[in-house]
Amino acid sequence: MSLPPTTCLADVLQLRGETGWLSPPLRPMVIAPPVLGTARTVRLAAGPGGLGPLRDLLTEDLSGRVIVIADARHAAGGVWGEILSLAAQGRGAVGALVDGAVRDLAALGRIGLQVWAGDQATAGPGADVHVAEIGGPVTIGSASVADGDPVLLDAEGAVVLPSRTAADVLAAATAYARAEEEVAAELLAGRDLSEAYRHKASVVQRISRSLRS
């Protein structure tokens, strides 16, 4: 399956009056080939209790899943690192999104699992954080993520799609990406921007019309 760039996906969401991009606040810690997975949500909270349920989660079948850890900023340090990446990858996960800190970046790069996070840390999570919920809705930045929502990751960004409209948004983003390629090709051929941009303008108008109908 050919995947549209996350930049095009985010633009289409903007045209639809929606959000969904998780970058920012997240930034890439490991860049790998693009993947489209489904969210497996985890919400952390302040207070003792530890991350045992997160480790238990990483023994499940996670084929095609992206682990989405919200509210990880409550931790004193990194809540994700080499061991959890290896465990997640071994159970079939294709990525991890951490709204907080991660560590072991050199090892994460060797493992190759897509990892996006808010920050880098040296220390571990500390004692004053716990898993509040697994599988419930979470929020990262301005985007809401439900368990099972499609998540697209590439070198440019991390974007979540509402399950009910994912197919339509992906199709629109694919057309939008094709139009951008046509604009670039015409610019390289020497045409000016006002002429070349008509390809993208046409797709934008089509998306806007579909929303009004």
Side-chain angles (χ1 to χ4, degrees):
M1 174 185 179
S2 178
L3 298 174
T6 52
T7 51
C8 294
L9 206 54
D11 281 359
V12 168
L13 288 170
Q14 278 186 321
L15 288 169
R16 294 168 60 94
E18 301 174 15
T19 60
W21 48 94
L22 305 167
S23 47
L26 306 187
R27 57 191 176 91
M29 300 293 164
V30 176
I31 295 177
V35 294
L36 178 64
T38 55
R40 189 71 173 104
T41 57
V42 180
R43 181 171 59 84
L44 305 187
L51 302 183
L54 173 59
R55 293 191 292 273
D56 292 342
L57 171 67
L58 300 181
T59 66
E60 295 180 2
D61 179 4
L62 297 170
S63 299
R65 304 288 264 186
V66 176
I67 311 302
V68 180
I69 304 177
D71 297 330
R73 297 177 190 275
H74 291 298
V79 303
W80 190 272
E82 177 182 14
I83 290 173
L84 297 192
S85 266
L86 284 169
Q89 188 180 64
R91 300 304 296 162
V94 295
L97 305 176
V98 181
D99 190 20
V102 300
R103 64 178 189 170
D104 307 329
L105 294 197
L108 296 187
R110 291 192 296 271
I111 294 165
L113 184 76
Q114 284 250 23
V115 177
W116 289 71
D119 208 350
Q120 176 185 2
T122 302
D128 198 28
V129 67
H130 67 278
V131 175
E133 185 179 20
I134 291 176
V138 300
T139 300
I140 296 178
S142 62
S144 298
V145 186
D147 198 76
D149 278 349
V151 180
L152 180 61
L153 308 173
D154 63 19
E156 301 294 334
V159 179
V160 62
L161 298 171
S163 295
R164 68 186 185 282
T165 59
D168 290 342
V169 175
L170 283 168
T174 299
Y176 189 98
R178 192 177 305 117
E180 288 202 331
E181 291 170 358
E182 291 170 343
V183 172
E186 292 209 1
L187 290 171
L188 288 170
R191 294 183 175 87
D192 63 33
L193 180 58
S194 60
E195 182 182 1
Y197 198 79
R198 72 188 189 282
H199 299 289
K200 186 170 177 179
S202 174
V203 171
V204 169
Q205 288 172 1
R206 198 157 62 240
I207 293 170
S208 300
R209 282 197 303 270
S210 71
L211 292 174
R212 292 194 297 268
S213 62

